[in-house]
Amino acid sequence: MARNVELLLQENVENLGIVGDVVRVKSGFARNYLLPMGVAVVPTPQRIAALEADRAAAVAVLEEQRGRRVSIVEKMEGIALTMTRSCNDQGVLYGSVSQRDIADGLQELATPFGETIDPRHIRLPQSIRHIGSYEVPVQFDLDLKVDIQVIVEPDQPLEEREEMEFDDEGELIEKP
């Protein structure tokens, strides 16, 4: 049974805490990552006091970042991102649209946002593999969430695609 260890963070660790936090983590996480990387140490009153200034600076940075993210969420309200992809005649994409693609598409629209959008903030349950319109949530924090519309269009109209014909041996028949 894994036992928890109490450590003092010397750096911000996403989804764990900020500088100066005393956190309880599994012993394997402490032994394999936090301690060897110098991210955390065993807490003592002297170490906690030494990190108070760093903690205040980290809190200020997090509040500033939250303010920027609130403005980004307000600007993203009602955004529709249109992407053009290659697909077959049934509307199935040859590739897929992933979180990275959506983040890159939002980055092209980033002039109103002023900050890069991390693909981890895009909560896509699975890659988009068909032509159509999708509601995709973008979540920065638990309470900072906005739904954007992602429209995936074919690169060629589906009706105008030529159907390939094959003979009995499976050879392609060229049309004049």
Side-chain angles (χ1 to χ4, degrees):
M1 182 181 247
R3 84 173 222 263
N4 290 338
V5 177
E6 205 167 80
L7 293 176
L8 173 68
L9 294 179
Q10 292 184 316
E11 298 176 14
N12 293 347
V13 178
E14 193 169 339
N15 297 325
L16 185 59
I18 62 171
V19 174
D21 279 351
V22 177
V23 296
R24 295 186 64 79
V25 296
K26 302 268 184 180
S27 60
F29 185 49
R31 181 180 59 246
N32 296 323
Y33 177 71
L34 295 175
L35 294 172
M37 299 298 279
V39 175
V41 292
V42 176
T44 63
Q46 298 82 14
R47 288 180 177 163
I48 292 172
L51 289 176
E52 285 181 12
D54 291 341
R55 180 175 173 76
V59 167
V61 166
L62 286 176
E63 287 178 7
E64 175 194 342
Q65 183 182 41
R66 180 168 174 79
R68 286 194 315 261
R69 288 179 172 176
V70 166
S71 68
I72 289 173
V73 165
E74 291 170 357
K75 292 174 185 175
M76 279 187 169
E77 288 289 334
I79 260 193
L81 178 64
T82 304
M83 308 182 101
T84 304
R85 295 288 189 259
S86 296
C87 67
N88 65 12
D89 54 347
Q90 283 88 27
V92 177
L93 300 178
Y94 289 130
S96 65
V97 177
S98 65
Q99 293 169 309
R100 166 69 63 193
D101 297 328
I102 295 171
D104 292 344
L106 287 173
Q107 198 59 42
E108 292 175 9
L109 300 174
T111 49
F113 307 138
E115 187 173 318
T116 59
I117 308 297
D118 192 340
R120 291 178 291 174
H121 295 142
I122 297 166
R123 309 295 184 179
L124 193 60
Q126 59 191 9
S127 297
I128 297 172
R129 300 184 185 275
H130 297 278
I131 298 298
S133 178
Y134 300 88
E135 288 292 322
V136 176
V138 179
Q139 184 172 4
F140 293 105
D141 288 325
L142 290 175
D143 58 337
L144 290 179
K145 182 178 176 182
V146 64
D147 287 337
I148 62 169
Q149 185 176 17
V150 176
I151 302 166
V152 183
E153 296 179 342
D155 59 344
Q156 298 176 7
L158 297 179
E159 307 76 54
E160 294 181 16
R161 293 185 182 232
E162 293 183 16
E163 194 66 35
M164 289 192 241
E165 293 184 25
F166 297 93
D167 61 10
D168 294 335
E169 285 92 38
E171 299 292 323
L172 179 65
I173 300 173
E174 295 185 26
K175 296 180 181 178

